[in-house]
């Protein structure tokens, strides 16, 4: 069981508090900095960086950051594009993949492809006449051309 806490049982500090010693706040920053400063004067390897002016350090940091980004971009990019990689896959493998899939490739799926070789579509497209009719009927018509 906790003992009850009563504020009246604890003595208060005398009011007003004693004033700080003379020039205490003027000496406080120097005392803090003396405690924080390392006592060993051995200079680290990059001590020259601290002696540079602030605008030059900022420019150096931005150049290093942009240079690192550009280097990572150049090193990670491959010279071949996605379309070149897809073009390297043999046509027979693509057809076998599409035929092995449970869902059939419809004409609407092929219409979404912006770059298709006409010979590829004619030789590998196995569409039924009903599917062709449905795809043509689904196309929007503009009355201004009629």
């Amino acid at each position: 069981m906790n003992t009850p806490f009563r504020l009246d049982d604890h003595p208060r500090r005398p009011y007003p508090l004693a004033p700080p010693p003379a020039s205490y706040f003027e000496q406080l920053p120097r005392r803090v900095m003396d405690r924080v400063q390392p006592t060993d004067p051995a200079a680290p390897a990059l001590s020259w960086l601290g002696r540079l002016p602030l605008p030059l350090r900022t420019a150096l940091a931005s150049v290093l950051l942009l240079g690192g980004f550009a280097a990572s971009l150049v090193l990670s990019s491959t010279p071949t594009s996605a379309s070149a990689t897809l073009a390297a896959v043999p046509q027979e493998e693509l057809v076998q993949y599409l035929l092995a899939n449970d869902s059939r490739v419809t004409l609407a799926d092929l219409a979404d492809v912006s770059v298709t070789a006409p010979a590829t579509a004619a030789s590998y497209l196995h569409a039924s006449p009903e599917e062709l009719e449905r795809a043509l009927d689904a196309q929007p018509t503009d009355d201004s051309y009629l």
Side-chain angles (χ1 to χ4, degrees):
M1 182 172 184
N2 292 340
T3 59
F5 179 80
R6 291 179 35 104
L7 190 58
D8 293 334
D9 294 342
H10 300 282
R12 295 182 183 177
R13 289 185 178 171
Y15 187 77
L17 296 174
S23 69
Y24 174 77
F25 290 106
E26 289 83 13
Q27 295 174 357
L28 182 63
R30 175 59 57 197
R31 285 182 174 174
V32 171
M33 291 306 291
D34 288 342
R35 288 185 183 179
V36 172
Q37 293 294 328
T39 56
D40 186 21
L46 296 177
S47 64
W48 60 271
L49 190 60
R51 291 190 298 265
L52 292 176
L54 186 60
L56 189 58
R57 281 187 280 174
T58 305
L60 181 64
S62 63
V63 165
L64 286 176
L65 184 66
L66 290 174
F69 176 72
S72 66
L73 187 66
V74 166
L75 292 176
S76 67
S77 68
T78 58
T80 59
S81 64
S83 61
T85 306
L86 187 59
V89 177
Q91 294 286 334
E92 292 79 20
E93 286 185 29
L94 287 174
V95 170
Q96 291 302 322
Y97 172 76
L98 292 174
L99 291 177
N101 215 352
D102 289 339
S103 62
R104 270 193 83 172
V105 178
T106 63
L107 287 177
D109 295 335
L110 293 176
D112 290 338
V113 178
S114 61
V115 180
T116 57
T120 304
S123 63
Y124 294 114
L125 183 62
H126 304 290
S128 64
E130 295 85 21
E131 188 174 305
L132 289 173
E133 192 67 35
R134 274 186 276 131
L136 288 173
D137 289 341
Q139 295 295 320
T141 57
D142 190 7
D143 292 336
S144 64
Y145 294 115
L146 296 177

